[in-house]
Amino acid sequence: MNNTTLKKIATTLGCSISTVSRALKHHPDISVKTRERILELANTLDYEPNAFAVHLRTQNSKVMGLLVPAISNYFYESFIASVEEECRKNGYALMILQTANNPITETDNLKIFRQNRVTGLFACISANTNTLADYYKLTDQNIPIIFFDNVPEEKSLNKVCMADERAAILAAEALLAANKKNIIGVFGDPRMSITQKRLTAFENYFSNNNDQTTITIIHATNSEDAETLISNQLNDKKKADAIFCMSDELLIGAMKAVQIKKLSLPTDIGLIAISNGFVPKLYYPTITYVETSGHKLGKLAFTHLMACISGSTAVNELTVDSVLIKGGSL
């Protein structure tokens, strides 16, 4: 354990503790020669400031919080990696907690963030969140929150999202261009805002542009559910000619169902998904997908949170655009 203190450095060099403290902060009142002597000794002794003392003095823990339903999700993995990289470059640590879509766990985790006085919070609400009371307890302590991906409906909150409606429309356009007539649309938990946005945009596009297409909507909460539900649909006498999946996890379930049925892409059935981009490239042919980048969203979320920490009072809902990436599955 390193026991080097300001007092030890000051005693060794025969100067005051306040002189050492100011020198380590590069205060202009300290001469260059004195500062260099103090910095050299501090480095030699491997001096590290007491994080708790700094926190108490500055009211800045230099720790960001990140709340997510599940870490084992390709989109969230890339979002977390992006935020962590930005935190590290800017001198912050990142505390990551997951809710498993359990509102009790969500409340407990928000309490942990409050107790640790995080400087700011990135939050993806759970599918079962029915109140923001615990989030407001953080903002009451002047802890800014950036909601991301699955966000609350309230307008007076800072949010960063993918262009969810646009992503669904791009997928619908691609299906229509491929002349698909009987489509299975696989969506997530209907309580989630992200599901609602994508589903509404998807259905509206077909109702406004082609009333000859049959859309069968199913909801799945994980890849296993998706596999089972899609398999049941593929057993139906009315043969589907395409599957749309609104996420990578649902895409995995769809591909398993397709493989079990020994269907070939795109000859027997077409497939398109909204994806972070990693999963579609695991298959041959590569799955056509609409890119929703967790990496880009993480960068935007960090920039937005830093603006709030710096004093910005503007409330914004920012989006990252989506693009169609053509593969060989449609």
Side-chain angles (χ1 to χ4, degrees):
M1 180 177 178
N2 190 337
N3 294 316
T4 302
T5 63
L6 294 178
K7 183 177 180 181
K8 183 174 181 179
I9 296 172
T11 300
T12 303
L13 295 177
C15 58
S16 68
I17 294 175
S18 63
T19 297
V20 173
S21 178
R22 284 182 292 167
L24 292 174
K25 297 174 186 174
H26 295 267
H27 197 284
D29 288 350
I30 306 301
S31 69
V32 174
K33 183 176 180 180
T34 300
R35 183 167 66 246
E36 288 178 348
R37 288 176 61 229
I38 291 172
L39 290 173
E40 182 179 1
L41 181 60
N43 289 331
T44 300
L45 298 178
D46 199 22
Y47 167 76
E48 294 180 359
N50 186 312
F52 292 105
V54 172
H55 177 198
L56 288 172
R57 184 175 68 254
T58 65
Q59 291 299 302
N60 188 342
S61 66
K62 300 297 285 185
V63 175
M64 298 289 196
L66 195 154
L67 187 65
V68 70
I71 295 174
S72 57
N73 173 295
Y74 296 107
F75 182 83
Y76 294 145
E77 279 182 6
S78 61
F79 179 90
I80 290 169
S82 178
V83 169
E84 191 280 330
E85 180 183 24
E86 292 302 312
C87 284
R88 183 163 25 88
K89 289 194 297 188
N90 288 273
Y92 288 89
L94 185 63
M95 178 188 294
I96 306 165
L97 299 176
Q98 55 186 343
T99 65
N101 281 317
N102 184 323
I104 296 175
T105 304
E106 187 172 19
T107 294
D108 291 342
N109 287 344
L110 290 171
K111 184 177 181 180
I112 292 172
F113 287 132
R114 291 199 310 274
Q115 291 173 337
N116 284 272
R117 297 296 190 275
V118 293
T119 305
L121 176 66
F122 305 95
C124 177
I125 65 173
S126 75
N128 301 306
T129 301
N130 51 30
T131 175
L132 298 179
D134 290 302
Y135 288 98
Y136 287 128
K137 289 179 182 178
L138 274 85
T139 56
D140 287 344
Q141 294 181 356
N142 296 317
I143 298 173
I145 303 174
I146 302 297
F147 291 96
F148 70 94
D149 196 43
N150 190 43
V151 301
E153 293 183 3
E154 282 78 350
K155 301 294 184 184
S156 59
L157 301 171
N158 283 299
K159 311 170 191 178
V160 294
C161 303
M162 298 306 305
D164 292 308
E165 292 92 344
R166 178 62 180 159
I169 290 170
L170 285 172
E173 287 177 345
L175 287 163
L176 189 59
N179 199 33
K180 300 303 181 182
K181 299 297 185 182
N182 188 11
I183 301 166
I184 301 171
V186 193
F187 291 82
D189 193 315
R191 295 167 297 178
M192 296 170 61
S193 66
I194 186 172
T195 300
Q196 295 164 11
K197 290 178 183 177
R198 293 178 177 181
L199 175 57
T200 299
F202 189 78
E203 289 185 315
N204 285 346
Y205 180 85
F206 281 103
S207 64
N208 293 332
N209 293 277
N210 190 321
D211 58 4
Q212 303 301 312
T213 304
T214 300
I215 309 293
T216 302
I217 301 298
I218 59 176
H219 291 277
T221 57
N222 54 52
S223 60
E224 290 79 11
D225 283 348
E227 177 195 341
T228 301
L229 293 169
I230 293 169
S231 293
N232 291 339
Q233 289 296 322
L234 293 176
N235 286 333
D236 195 288
K237 292 180 180 179
K238 189 173 183 180
K239 186 179 179 183
D241 58 8
I243 302 171
F244 163 72
C245 300
M246 70 156 266
S247 71
D248 277 315
E249 186 167 13
L250 302 182
L251 170 60
I252 292 171
M255 277 303 300
K256 191 166 183 181
V258 167
Q259 290 170 340
I260 289 173
K261 296 293 182 182
K262 294 182 169 54
L263 300 175
S264 298
L265 298 176
T267 307
D268 298 324
I269 195 166
L271 183 57
I272 185 172
I274 296 177
S275 170
N276 195 42
F278 175 73
V279 174
K281 297 172 185 175
L282 298 178
Y283 298 102
Y284 182 82
T286 299
I287 308 301
T288 296
Y289 67 98
V290 178
E291 182 189 60
T292 53
S293 172
H295 182 80
K296 292 178 182 177
L297 193 67
K299 299 291 184 187
L300 181 63
F302 185 85
T303 300
H304 198 6
L305 184 55
M306 290 302 290
C308 294
I309 291 170
S310 299
S312 173
T313 57
V315 176
N316 293 303
E317 180 169 352
L318 307 177
T319 59
V320 175
D321 201 8
S322 299
V323 294
L324 178 68
I325 309 296
K326 294 183 178 180
S329 64
L330 196 61

